Amino acid sequence: MAFWLRFNLDIPDEFVPLALVASPWCVLGYALGFLSVRVYRQVWSYIGLPELRQLATGIVLGGLLTAAGVLMLRTPNFPRSVLVLQPLIALVLMGAVRAGWRTLAELRLGVRHGKPVLILGSLHEASGALRALKGSTHWQAVGILSPQPGEVGRSLQTVRVLGTSADIGRVAKSMDVHALLMASPPGSQSRRQMLLQVADTGIALLTVPRPDEWLKADGVGPRRLELEDLLGRAPIQLDVAGLADLFSGQTVLVTGAGGSIGSELCRHIARFGAQRLVCVDLSEFAIYQLEQELREAHPQMHGSYYTANVREPERLRAIAIKHRPSVVFHAAAYKHVPLMEYLNEIEAVRTNVAGTLNTARVAGECGARRFVMISTDKAVNPTNVMGASKRLAELMVQGVATEYSQTQYVSVRFGNVLGSSGSVVPLFTRQILSGGPITVTHPDIVRYFMTIPEAAQLVLQAGLMGQSGQIFVLDMGEPVKIVDLAKMMIRLSGKTEHEIPISYTGLRPGEKLYEELLANDETSVATPHPKLRIAKTSSGSDLDIEAVLSWIENAGPEPDTVGLRDWLRSHVLEYKSVH
C-alpha cells in the first residue's frame, strides 16, 4: 500500500519486484516490534489510549527494523519515502480496526444493558465519571448537567451538556431518566446543594465508587450515594513508610478495640504489618466480632483478644507485661453526653480519667515507645461532665508523660464520627425507618463530622508525628448543621420532609449549640501534615495525679453530683457547668 500511495495509485512495473522483495522484511520487522511491546495481548473490546500508545510504540519499532532490513539489501532505486509511509499507514489502519471493534462492542453493551443516567458535575468532573462508566455494563450516560452555565451546549465524549443543575427535574422528565450520577468530589459543598435540589424529583442518586471499593467484587460501577460521600473529604495523605516502620513486626495494644474508632484502628494497624495486635474491650460481643473479622482478613497476624476493663490497673498491667507492646492506643471511654450528665457522672470520671491514667502508666511501665489517647472536641471549654472528664484525662496524660521519658505521650482531639456508636446518624436512620419524625434538638445546632476511616488514619498519623505531651487537633472541615444532616438523610432514603417530618426538642443537658476544637486562650501550631495541628494548651505537669486518683477511689458508689462537678471544676478551670 505504501508503494501504491508513493506512485499516485499506480505502481510502475519495474518497482513491483522491489515491493515483493521488501514485504517479507516488513512482516518480520513488525512481528519483532509487536512481540517486544506485547501488542498481541490487547483486548480490542476495551482498547483505549494506553493500548494505542503501546501499538504506536510497536509500529515505530517495526518500521525501524523494516527500514534497517531493506537498506541492508542495498536494492538500487528503492524509494525510501515508502519506509516512512508504511508505518503511518499501519498506525492508521491498525488503530482504526481496533477503534471500530470497540465501538461495536460498546454499541452491543449499550443496547443490551445500558440504563440511561445523567451525570451531574462540571466537564472536568464528568470526564472521570465517564471513564468509570466504561467499566459498567448497566449504565449509559445520556447527558451532563453542569453547575457552570457556560458549559451548556458543549459535549464530552459525544455526551452533551443538556443544562445546568437547576434543570435536573426538567431534563430527567424529558429524557425519562431515573438515575443521577454525582461526579463532584466526596464532601464537596456542591454535592450537598445538589442533593437538596433533587428532593422531589424521585431520581435515584449514584456516585462513583471510592478507590477501596474497586478492590471488592461488588464495587465496580456506580453505586447508591451514601452519607459518607456527602460529608467525607479527599483521601488522607499518610506517611506510609513511617507508619510501616512504626508497626511492622511490632506488638500494638488497643483499648476500646471493639468500638467504632478502636476497631478501625485495629484494621489499619493490621494492614501495616503488626506482628501481634492485643485488643482489649469491656464488651464480650464487640471483641468477639473483632476477633472473627481480623482472623479472616489477616490470618498471618497474631491476635490476642481480651475482655478487660481499663479501670482495673492490675489486669491491664498483667496484659501489658505479658505482651510488651511498643505502641498503645487508648480508645476506651464513655462518650455519650446526656447519658453521662445524669446518674452516671462517676462512671464517666472513673472510666475516662482513672482508666486513662491506668492505661498511660501501664504503657510507661512496659516500655512502650508511644502512647496515643483518643480525645474529643467536647474537652474544649466543656459544659458537660463527659467533656470535662476527657479534658482532665488529657491533663493526666501530660502529667504521666513527665514520669516516663522513654514513652512519647500524645492526645488527639476530633469531633463527631459518622456512624459511630452513640452518634446522631444511627438514631436518625432508626427514626426514618420507623416513619419519623426525626428529632433535632435545635434548628441552629452545628457539629463537625468525620468518617470513621478518616478519624482512624489521622490518629495513626498523629501518633507517628507527636512529641510527648502534645495534643493534636484534627482538621474537621466545615461544621454541618444537624438539621441539614437530617434533611440529607431523608433525601438519601428516598423520602421527603412531608413524609418524614423534623421535630425540634430543645437542647439536652450539657449540650452546646456548637463545638470547639481549641479553647479561647489556646493557639495552635501547624505541622507538616495539612490536616493536623498542635494545640498549645495548659500543661498537666503541675497536676497532683495521686490526689486525683485518691478522690476517685474514695468517691464511693454514688457521690454527691454537686460535689463531683465542683471537684471537676477545681481541676478543669475552663469547665462551665450549666447546673
Side-chain angles (χ1 to χ4, degrees):
M1 186 174 288
F3 268 88
W4 187 59
L5 289 175
R6 164 64 179 79
F7 292 103
N8 298 321
L9 313 185
D10 185 18
I11 306 175
D13 292 342
E14 63 269 23
F15 285 95
V16 172
L18 299 181
L20 296 176
V21 169
S23 291
W25 287 95
C26 184
V27 172
L28 178 62
Y30 277 86
L32 293 174
F34 290 157
L35 280 171
S36 64
V37 296
R38 296 177 173 82
V39 169
Y40 59 89
R41 294 184 176 179
Q42 294 179 355
V43 180
W44 290 15
S45 297
Y46 302 101
I47 196 96
L49 283 177
E51 287 78 14
L52 289 178
R53 284 192 287 267
Q54 182 186 34
L55 176 65
T57 302
I59 287 175
V60 169
L61 289 175
L64 291 174
L65 291 172
T66 299
V70 169
L71 293 176
M72 282 172 27
L73 294 176
R74 296 184 179 276
T75 304
N77 301 321
F78 190 91
R80 297 188 178 183
S81 57
V82 168
L83 301 177
V84 178
L85 282 173
Q86 54 92 11
L88 295 177
I89 295 170
L91 180 61
V92 170
L93 293 181
M94 299 186 77
V97 71
R98 284 162 170 76
W101 188 277
R102 170 162 179 168
T103 300
L104 291 174
E106 288 183 350
L107 288 174
R108 289 197 305 270
L109 291 173
V111 170
R112 292 179 183 176
H113 304 291
K115 297 178 182 177
V117 63
L118 290 170
I119 296 178
L120 181 60
S122 65
L123 288 176
H124 173 72
E125 295 165 343
S127 175
L130 286 171
R131 285 195 297 271
L133 286 177
K134 295 297 183 184
S136 173
T137 60
H138 302 289
W139 301 100
Q140 180 180 8
V142 296
I144 299 171
L145 297 171
S146 173
Q148 303 176 16
E151 294 181 347
V152 176
R154 302 176 70 181
S155 65
L156 182 68
Q157 299 181 30
T158 71
V159 181
R160 284 192 61 201
V161 180
L162 302 175
T164 66
S165 51
D167 302 320
I168 293 174
R170 175 185 60 81
V171 174
K173 184 176 180 180
S174 65
M175 301 194 69
D176 194 26
V177 175
H178 302 284
L180 183 70
L181 177 62
M182 287 194 171
S184 51
S188 62
Q189 185 64 27
S190 60
R191 277 201 177 196
R192 303 176 200 172
Q193 293 173 347
M194 295 307 107
L195 179 61
L196 300 180
Q197 287 185 5
V198 299
D200 302 318
T201 60
I203 299 176
L205 299 176
L206 307 175
T207 187
V208 178
R210 296 184 295 268
D212 60 310
E213 292 175 323
W214 289 104
L215 301 177
K216 302 175 184 177
D218 58 351
V220 179
R223 59 164 174 78
R224 294 288 297 218
L225 192 71
E226 298 174 356
L227 190 61
E228 288 81 357
D229 302 310
L230 298 168
L231 299 180
R233 283 172 290 280
I236 304 297
Q237 298 175 357
L238 293 177
D239 180 0
V240 176
L243 289 171
D245 181 63
L246 180 64
F247 296 124
S248 181
Q250 302 297 316
T251 297
V252 182
L253 186 148
V254 181
T255 68
S260 51
I261 298 298
S263 60
E264 188 68 17
L265 283 172
C266 291
R267 295 181 192 104
H268 284 287
I269 292 167
R271 293 186 193 116
F272 279 112
Q275 181 181 21
R276 179 177 293 278
L277 183 57
V278 183
C279 304
V280 177
D281 199 283
L282 184 60
S283 168
E284 177 191 29
F285 180 64
I287 208 72
Y288 166 75
Q289 284 188 310
L290 182 66
E291 177 193 29
Q292 297 301 304
E293 177 187 343
L294 293 181
R295 282 188 173 176
E296 180 179 354
H298 303 280
Q300 78 289 349
M301 184 189 70
H302 299 290
S304 299
Y305 304 90
Y306 290 91
T307 55
N309 195 331
V310 294
R311 285 154 55 164
E312 300 174 359
E314 294 305 321
R315 171 68 166 157
L316 273 182
R317 189 172 290 108
I319 294 171
I321 291 176
K322 178 178 181 179
H323 297 288
R324 298 285 177 181
S326 60
V327 184
V328 176
F329 287 93
H330 178 53
Y334 283 137
K335 60 183 182 179
H336 196 270
V337 171
L339 195 61
M340 294 298 109
E341 197 66 16
Y342 283 119
L343 306 178
N344 299 298
E345 300 96 321
I346 188 61
E347 297 300 312
V349 170
R350 284 178 175 149
T351 296
N352 295 351
V353 180
T356 297
L357 173 63
N358 295 336
T359 311
R361 279 184 164 171
V362 164
E365 291 171 6
C366 71
R369 291 159 52 195
R370 291 188 176 273
F371 172 90
V372 183
M373 185 196 82
I374 312 301
S375 189
T376 171
D377 56 357
K378 295 173 180 62
V380 184
N381 292 330
T383 59
N384 50 69
V385 171
M386 194 284 285
S389 68
K390 291 296 284 185
R391 175 59 184 141
L392 184 53
E394 292 178 351
L395 295 172
M396 298 290 271
V397 170
Q398 289 179 321
V400 173
T402 63
E403 301 177 5
Y404 302 96
S405 58
Q406 80 279 8
T407 303
Q408 301 290 313
Y409 287 88
V410 176
S411 299
V412 185
R413 288 178 183 168
F414 53 82
N416 299 274
V417 178
L418 289 175
S420 63
S421 60
S423 73
V424 71
V425 173
L427 171 63
F428 285 176
T429 301
R430 291 193 299 271
Q431 291 176 337
I432 291 172
L433 290 175
S434 65
I438 285 184
T439 55
V440 178
T441 56
H442 194 283
D444 296 325
I445 192 169
V446 297
R447 289 291 182 267
Y448 293 94
F449 283 98
M450 176 175 281
T451 64
I452 292 175
E454 280 181 305
Q457 290 170 16
L458 285 175
V459 167
L460 293 177
Q461 188 65 47
L464 173 65
M465 295 168 50
Q467 301 293 320
S468 198
Q470 289 179 336
I471 298 177
F472 279 83
V473 181
L474 306 191
D475 173 17
M476 297 295 297
E478 294 298 321
V480 178
K481 274 192 171 185
I482 298 298
V483 66
D484 288 343
L485 179 69
K487 291 177 180 178
M488 285 188 284
M489 292 187 66
I490 293 172
R491 305 288 194 274
L492 291 175
S493 71
K495 305 290 186 180
T496 67
E497 289 174 47
H498 297 292
E499 299 171 289
I500 309 291
I502 297 175
S503 173
Y504 298 102
T505 59
L507 290 176
R508 297 173 296 181
E511 191 172 44
K512 295 191 288 187
L513 277 177
Y514 59 92
E515 300 293 354
E516 306 159 88
L517 295 180
L518 289 174
N520 294 334
D521 61 343
E522 293 174 344
T523 58
S524 63
V525 178
T527 71
H529 196 282
K531 293 184 179 293
L532 290 171
R533 296 183 68 86
I534 300 170
K536 304 295 289 184
T537 66
S538 56
S539 173
S541 57
D542 298 330
L543 185 69
D544 189 342
I545 294 177
E546 295 304 327
V548 171
L549 187 59
S550 176
W551 189 95
I552 296 173
E553 289 175 346
N554 298 323
E558 193 170 358
D560 175 63
T561 58
V562 175
L564 185 147
R565 286 182 171 83
D566 289 340
W567 175 81
L568 269 177
R569 199 176 294 108
S570 68
H571 291 88
V572 182
L573 301 182
E574 59 268 35
Y575 172 37
K576 305 296 181 185
S577 174
V578 295
H579 302 284

